[in-house]
Amino acid sequence: MNTASFDPVILTLVTFLPLAGGLLLMLMPRRDRDIRIFALVVSLATFFVSLHLPVHFHRGTTGFQFDVNKQWIASPNIHYHMGIDGISMWLVLLTTFLTPLCVLISWHSVHDKVKEFFVLLLILETALIGVFTSLDLFLFYFFWEATLIPMALLIGVFGHERKVYASVKFFMYTMIASIFMLVAILWLYAHTGSFDFETIRDLIAQGRVAGFQTAAQWLFLGFFIAFAVKVPLFPFHTWLPDAHVEAPTAGSVLLAGVLLKMGTYGMLRFNLGLFPAQSRSNANWIIVLALIGIIYGALVAMVQPNMKKLIAYSSVSHLGFVVLGIFSFTQAGLNGAMFVMLAHGVSTGALFMLAGILHERRHTYEISEFGGLAAPMPVYSATYLVIVLASVGLPLMNGFIGEFLVLSGAFQARPIYGILAATGVIWSAAYLLWMFQRVFYGKVTHNVNNTLADLQGTEKLAVWPCAVAALVMGVAPLLWLNAIDPAVSVSLKPFLELASRVVGR
Amino acid sequence: MSHFIATIVQTIPQISDYVRILPEIVLAVFGMAVMLLDPLVDDEHSRRTLGVLALAGTICGLIATWYMAQSPGLAFSGMVRADSFSVFFHALVIAISGVVVLMSFEYTTVQKMRGGEYYGLILFSAVGMGLMSSAVELVLIFIALEISSISSYILAGMRRHEASSGESALKYFLLGSFATAFFLYGIALLFGATGSTNIEFIAQELQNSGSITLVYVAAALIFVGLGFKVAAAPFHIWTPDVYEGAPAPVVGFMSTAPKAAAFAVLLRIVFQLNAPRHFWIIWVAAVFSMTLGNLGALVQNNIKRLLAYSSIAHAGYVLVAFAAAPDLGPSAVIFYTAAYAAMNVGAFAIVSHLGSVDEKFVSLQDYEGLGQSSPVMAASLTIFLLSLIGIPMTGGFFGKFYVFSAALKSNLTWLTVIGLINSAVGAYYYLRVIVAMYMRQPQKQTPVAPVPFGVGLATALCLVATLYLGLLPGQVLERARLASGAVTAPSGVPAASSADLGPSAPSQ
């Protein structure tokens, strides 16, 4: 059978398969074991179906592929328009890759309200994939907001002590920020008559949108603030540590692995795509914020006594790299930003899983409660080391490729950016390795820790794929980059034109 | 002499005149039948029997609305107009009444209320509200407004042995009478300015003479009167107390149906009279309603008071659309009233069920742990609350979407921004309810009775309506647009081209 015949429906299938599974799951009787297996089957099926995308993706070509475009509502002119390019494809893959691992890592750790948990997880997966596949601004906003509810419930119902506070804070922060994006979307619709990303982009590029010049800066900021809170860019990051510390492990994995990337993806797609001139003129202060984020995030991570908070702040630092890469407007910087997004998804996802495994055994994230774990838990600590090295950016691991590309892009843009950002790499080595040393090396400081069980069945299945992926991405980055690169150059085209126009003058 | 006879003959009502008020006739007949049957059936059976009769009345009323839609035009010497506008509001108001009757089946039994007056008054109130939407003559609008208001004053006091219910009715009555006096005064001034009480005639007169100060004053007075009915700030003070004391299904009723009807009248007056469109008090009232409503709701612990403040805020959102351009605003208003009706009636169906005997359980603490003890009710209430927040996939989202895109297209950028910030603030207090239901451990056990048929069906209907409006709003929006064409077209001629929320700029 020719699998290419799936092309027109594949995105719909990938997006809504988890939702369909979630709805079926709702109807299932409350036998926890069956529910877990079913959720795993659905998420694995989604992953395998989503593999169709890279297999049949035409590398080296620009533009959106696998697209479907059907009218949803006649007036306002809303279309069910989906399509992916090299940027969004990998983010979809990242989502479908991490979700089955989330199911596995929650296998034993969730024992209360199991059904609700997995239903929410699957609904969240659909919303996340939808964000990356939508090419209609309305549809995008629809999925964007739809991610909020399952995530807030995952934190608020299944989280730790201060879960309600964290959940409401997460919800309100991102909700208020996205309101500004909605205003911008509505403005664009009012003045172009379309929600279609490509249509609006072309109209703006041709200068055919009335009143655009006066509104452009506000529109840019409207989108940017929604994305900046999601990333989170300093100083909008304060919701993140709370949300991470209180969230259940699977929630943290998807939060760090995918949800944060919604922000950087949005910047790349919408800020750069729709408002190239404004992106250019705003780039300086954004880069400054990104640099502050890189350094500040790293320094705060260094002094955290709480392992999960440390990883959360390391996300602030890593995502700073992504924003820096995006707003450097260089081929290397954008490729690097994309690669850091994927690498961070895999390695930080794994770090959260590992922290969760420890929490399950000791019910604490305090670093001081541990020490010398390498002896009782050898497999666990070896796996941890691999992931930490990947996250630190050891050559031949995935973190290295992305950070290297971002740094070289930043250097091209302005050397001082590269120099400052490079210190972030050093900081990240410092806080992660120092944490690793305190937790794993030396003598066992607390007697309880002697009896801790090593990595077990489903935990291995959950973490090891991440370790393998981190290694493969580091060794063969071209597998990813040859799809990313053409898409990135499309995003960069208006900037090169802008630059040549400036030179021409 | 022959001329005189001809005039007489002209004023004799034709069959078509009656068809154009058929829904009112049907509802009134059923209302009276309920009242007459009340003493004949014994107490035990009265509630169920009369409830079913009232439900049949609303279903027949919907069928009558269909008949009315088949013969559009003026009736009774140009006092009543059957058009797509009045048909839409008839259908909406009667549907709300039907759902409220449905959820009152168990409520009247649990609270030990007499069924006769209760159901009768709901039907009579629907008569008044239907007439409000189809009347094009100011005095008739006033009479219709009074029919609906007086019915709801009494309904508010139906929990007779509760002091708070009496307080609610008395407050509602006193302030309501005060407000209708303003309304009447406005009519008098308009009559003085133009020599007529017929809206279409006044509209023509104003076009010829231009706008006069007197007309502005009159319109302001009328706005005060209707502003009270829709609970718009600064005429909203009564709302929390009245909603707290009145029976929960009645609150569900009077926070949606009379509001929809009052908005219908306001649409006719603001847009058909065409005079005071750039009326700054609408702008101010919208901002005040949204802000005061949302801020007030933030600190409420009683769910009925919380929803009361939320209804003030939602009146503000609707007023935003009133400030928008005439080709965009009305259809957004009409859609919003429908979406709001679906989600708010649904929320009150659940509140009234959970309230139990004497409505004991209406504080947020009583909702703690509801996610486990009554998952279906909790999930339904969550969906209604998410719709009130304006989360995608629900009717509330599209309601807000149309309102704010209409405002933005009319270059009301600041109003849009204030409105959207408000809706984000509003999210917090709805979330508090959801948080209580799912994330807090119950401190005391709230008894949850199994869901009775009436409440279940009412909730399901509202749920379907909320999700339908959220996923496939096209149909209803099309109707809303047709309806808005009927009030915005000059001097009542049906609009040739329907107003569009869609593109205005470049052709592609």
Side-chain angles (χ1 to χ4, degrees):
Chain A
M1 191 173 141
N2 181 11
T3 50
S5 58
F6 282 121
D7 280 5
V9 293
I10 184 72
L11 285 180
T12 308
L13 195 62
V14 172
T15 309
F16 292 103
L17 194 60
L19 180 69
L23 294 179
L24 275 180
L25 197 56
M26 247 184 238
L27 304 174
M28 278 178 60
R30 288 184 176 276
R31 280 197 301 273
D32 292 352
R33 205 183 126 75
D34 298 356
I35 286 170
R36 289 186 186 109
I37 291 173
F38 185 76
L40 183 66
V41 167
V42 170
S43 55
L44 275 178
T46 312
F47 177 60
F48 284 118
V49 173
S50 72
L51 285 178
H52 178 95
L53 300 175
V55 171
H56 289 267
F57 190 81
H58 298 288
R59 282 145 209 264
T61 59
T62 57
F64 294 102
Q65 306 187 17
F66 308 107
D67 55 336
V68 318
N69 196 349
K70 293 216 168 61
Q71 190 170 65
W72 175 17
I73 299 161
S75 173
N77 184 14
I78 298 170
H79 284 241
Y80 175 76
H81 187 187
M82 288 185 158
I84 52 168
D85 61 359
I87 297 170
S88 40
M89 175 176 74
W90 291 120
L91 291 166
V92 171
L93 259 289
L94 180 67
T95 316
T96 57
F97 172 72
L98 284 177
T99 310
L101 307 183
C102 286
V103 174
L104 283 170
I105 201 72
S106 315
W107 204 267
H108 296 295
S109 60
V110 176
H111 12 251
D112 198 22
K113 297 183 223 165
V114 177
K115 186 158 126 183
E116 284 80 356
F117 183 87
F118 288 109
V119 169
L120 287 172
L121 201 65
L122 290 174
I123 294 176
L124 180 62
E125 185 181 9
T126 285
L128 288 170
I129 299 173
V131 166
F132 297 126
T133 52
S134 312
L135 287 180
D136 183 284
L137 287 184
F138 184 92
L139 197 63
F140 171 75
Y141 183 79
F142 187 100
F143 283 118
W144 175 273
E145 289 288 67
T147 58
L148 269 185
I149 302 153
M151 194 67 224
L153 284 174
L154 278 178
I155 298 175
V157 178
F158 301 94
H160 307 306
E161 296 81 31
R162 290 167 69 236
K163 57 188 181 180
V164 173
Y165 170 77
S167 161
V168 171
K169 191 170 178 181
F170 163 75
F171 193 97
M172 292 308 292
Y173 253 74
T174 39
M175 165 105 194
I176 290 175
S178 14
I179 291 288
F180 294 100
M181 178 165 73
L182 182 61
V183 177
I185 291 177
L186 288 178
W187 192 96
L188 284 174
Y189 177 65
H191 291 77
T192 63
S194 173
F195 284 112
D196 191 75
F197 170 72
E198 292 171 290
T199 311
I200 294 176
R201 182 187 63 192
D202 297 344
L203 284 174
I204 290 177
Q206 293 155 12
R208 284 168 58 200
V209 182
F212 181 75
Q213 284 312 317
T214 46
Q217 175 68 11
W218 293 104
L219 295 175
F220 174 85
L221 288 178
F223 277 96
F224 185 77
I225 190 118
F227 300 143
V229 168
K230 204 72 153 195
V231 168
L233 195 64
F234 177 89
F236 307 111
H237 64 280
T238 56
W239 63 269
L240 182 76
D242 285 314
H244 267 313
V245 171
E246 303 306 325
T249 303
S252 284
V253 172
L254 283 183
L255 188 60
V258 187
L259 248 89
L260 306 188
K261 275 68 179 188
M262 286 164 53
T264 43
Y265 166 77
M267 287 179 187
L268 191 50
R269 174 77 80 231
F270 297 105
N271 280 119
L272 260 60
L274 297 178
F275 315 104
Q278 287 68 36
S279 304
R280 177 65 94 182
S281 59
N282 286 292
N284 280 332
W285 62 265
I286 293 171
I287 287 184
V288 169
L289 289 184
L291 287 171
I292 296 177
I294 292 174
I295 296 167
Y296 168 86
L299 290 179
V300 177
M302 183 118 39
V303 295
Q304 290 307 317
N306 180 312
M307 185 189 286
K308 219 173 174 189
K309 241 182 179 157
L310 186 149
I311 305 170
Y313 276 106
S314 87
S315 293
V316 176
S317 179
H318 279 124
L319 269 291
F321 273 100
V322 180
V323 177
L324 173 67
I326 291 173
F327 284 90
S328 73
F329 309 120
T330 56
Q331 190 87 19
L334 261 75
N335 274 324
M338 256 318 288
F339 207 83
V340 173
M341 281 195 227
L342 302 175
H344 176 261
V346 171
S347 55
T348 306
L351 276 181
F352 276 120
M353 289 184 205
L354 290 164
I357 290 169
L358 215 50
H359 184 269
E360 228 171 280
R361 290 163 173 54
R362 282 291 317 277
H363 301 285
T364 178
Y365 291 118
E366 294 299 311
I367 295 172
S368 59
E369 286 290 315
F370 304 105
L373 290 189
M377 307 172 77
V379 182
Y380 176 81
S381 45
T383 315
Y384 209 119
L385 183 64
V386 172
I387 299 295
V388 160
L389 291 178
S391 192
V392 163
L394 188 79
L396 286 185
M397 302 294 276
N398 60 6
F400 173 74
I401 312 284
E403 283 176 6
F404 180 81
L405 285 169
V406 167
L407 288 176
S408 66
F411 263 111
Q412 284 170 39
R414 200 176 277 186
I416 183 73
Y417 295 158
I419 293 167
L420 286 174
T423 62
V425 181
I426 304 169
W427 294 121
S428 81
Y431 60 77
L432 277 172
L433 292 176
W434 188 34
M435 184 263 283
F436 188 81
Q437 179 219 330
R438 282 181 289 166
V439 172
F440 292 97
Y441 293 151
K443 288 212 171 62
V444 177
T445 45
H446 297 266
N447 274 332
V448 243
N449 292 341
N450 272 322
T451 57
L452 291 187
D454 205 351
L455 217 54
Q456 282 167 352
T458 51
E459 296 166 351
K460 284 179 191 165
L461 286 177
V463 185
W464 284 357
C466 287
V468 173
L471 196 64
V472 175
M473 284 176 78
V475 176
L478 269 186
L479 280 179
W480 281 264
L481 286 173
N482 63 7
I484 294 171
D485 196 57
V488 159
S489 38
V490 173
S491 318
L492 271 180
K493 220 170 77 192
F495 294 95
L496 300 177
E497 282 164 13
L498 272 180
S500 65
R501 221 178 293 163
V502 173
V503 172
R505 262 183 226 156
Chain B
M1 185 67 191
S2 65
H3 173 71
F4 178 69
I5 292 172
T7 323
I8 296 274
V9 169
Q10 263 179 14
T11 52
I12 293 174
Q14 308 288 308
I15 299 274
S16 63
D17 288 354
Y18 290 107
V19 174
R20 283 164 197 159
I21 60 159
L22 196 58
E24 281 84 358
I25 296 175
V26 169
L27 289 171
V29 166
F30 271 93
M32 284 186 280
V34 168
M35 293 288 232
L36 288 175
L37 267 180
D38 186 31
L40 300 183
V41 284
D42 64 275
D43 224 29
E44 274 313 297
H45 296 93
S46 83
R47 296 173 189 119
R48 180 49 64 96
T49 318
L50 299 177
V52 170
L53 189 61
L55 186 64
T58 56
I59 293 169
C60 292
L62 282 176
I63 297 169
T65 308
W66 185 80
Y67 274 104
M68 173 185 152
Q70 305 309 307
S71 74
L74 288 168
F76 294 103
S77 316
M79 288 208 295
V80 171
R81 170 186 281 286
D83 52 16
S84 48
F85 181 79
S86 47
V87 167
F88 187 97
F89 277 100
H90 270 87
L92 177 62
V93 164
I94 298 173
I96 295 173
S97 315
V99 173
V100 170
V101 167
L102 204 52
M103 73 201 217
S104 304
F105 282 4
E106 315 297 326
Y107 185 84
T108 45
T109 315
V110 170
Q111 313 290 347
K112 302 202 170 49
M113 277 182 193
R114 288 292 297 179
E117 296 98 331
Y118 184 86
Y119 292 120
L121 285 168
I122 287 184
L123 293 180
F124 290 138
S125 185
V127 170
M129 293 181 292
L131 211 49
M132 278 163 83
S133 67
S134 58
V136 287
E137 210 272 347
L138 288 171
V139 175
L140 185 62
I141 290 180
F142 175 74
I143 293 170
L145 181 67
E146 284 295 81
I147 296 175
S148 100
S149 301
I150 292 174
S151 311
S152 38
Y153 300 151
I154 308 171
L155 281 171
M158 283 303 266
R159 292 161 64 208
R160 241 165 271 163
H161 38 276
E162 291 283 322
S164 65
S165 187
E167 179 200 338
S168 155
L170 196 61
K171 260 191 186 153
Y172 198 23
F173 171 64
L174 285 176
L175 288 167
S177 320
F178 198 53
T180 32
F182 275 97
F183 186 75
L184 199 54
Y185 199 23
I187 294 175
L189 289 185
L190 265 187
F191 181 70
T194 59
S196 172
T197 53
N198 186 299
I199 291 184
E200 286 165 20
F201 184 82
I202 295 173
Q204 275 173 3
E205 196 70 0
L206 290 180
Q207 263 179 353
N208 301 334
S209 60
S211 43
I212 333 163
T213 324
L214 203 55
V215 177
Y216 272 90
V217 176
L221 289 171
I222 288 177
F223 181 73
V224 171
L226 292 173
F228 171 86
K229 293 289 164 202
V230 301
F235 320 110
H236 67 285
I237 310 289
W238 57 277
T239 322
D241 292 339
V242 171
Y243 282 17
E244 188 184 0
V250 172
V251 183
F253 182 64
M254 68 190 187
S255 63
T256 52
K259 273 193 174 192
F263 277 127
V265 173
L266 205 56
L267 277 175
R268 275 214 196 273
I269 288 176
V270 170
F271 288 98
Q272 201 158 9
L273 282 192
N274 207 26
R277 199 166 63 241
H278 305 291
F279 215 26
W280 58 269
I281 71 168
I282 289 183
W283 200 97
V284 174
V287 171
F288 270 113
S289 307
M290 291 187 292
T291 314
L292 293 178
N294 281 322
L295 292 182
L298 286 178
V299 293
Q300 300 305 322
N301 252 331
N302 178 310
I303 188 134
K304 282 168 86 184
R305 283 187 87 87
L306 188 148
L307 287 172
Y309 278 103
S310 115
S311 88
I312 298 169
H314 282 273
Y317 301 136
V318 178
L319 285 176
V320 168
F322 272 94
D327 55 335
L328 307 166
S331 53
V333 171
I334 295 169
F335 186 89
Y336 203 104
T337 51
Y340 181 66
M343 57 203 185
N344 214 40
V345 171
F348 272 106
I350 293 170
V351 169
S352 72
H353 170 61
L354 296 175
S356 179
V357 185
D358 294 335
E359 298 198 359
K360 272 185 298 213
F361 306 112
V362 288
S363 78
L364 276 188
Q365 282 76 39
D366 299 322
Y367 281 72
E368 283 171 0
L370 199 68
Q372 279 120 310
S373 56
S374 184
V376 178
M377 285 271 116
S380 310
L381 186 54
T382 304
I383 291 176
F384 294 131
L385 292 169
L386 290 176
S387 179
L388 286 164
I389 295 177
I391 296 287
M393 285 176 280
T394 59
F397 174 74
F398 272 110
K400 282 209 177 83
F401 178 81
Y402 294 135
V403 163
F404 289 121
S405 64
L408 208 57
K409 273 197 146 177
S410 316
N411 287 323
L412 296 165
T413 315
W414 280 111
L415 194 56
T416 311
V417 171
I418 295 172
L420 285 172
I421 290 177
N422 254 295
S423 64
V425 172
Y428 180 76
Y429 56 83
Y430 298 118
L431 272 188
R432 282 180 61 209
V433 184
I434 298 175
V435 163
M437 289 193 297
Y438 286 100
M439 302 179 196
R440 296 213 191 276
Q441 289 307 314
Q443 280 142 23
K444 56 178 189 205
Q445 210 54 50
T446 307
V448 182
V451 182
F453 173 74
V455 173
L457 187 57
T459 312
L461 286 173
C462 293
L463 211 54
V464 168
T466 303
L467 294 175
Y468 174 73
L469 291 176
L471 291 171
L472 302 162
Q475 271 279 328
V476 177
L477 187 70
E478 194 52 41
R479 307 255 153 160
R481 198 175 300 123
L482 280 178
S484 78
V487 286
T488 51
S491 65
V493 183
S497 66
S498 58
D500 194 1
L501 274 173
S504 68
S507 52
Q508 294 138 42

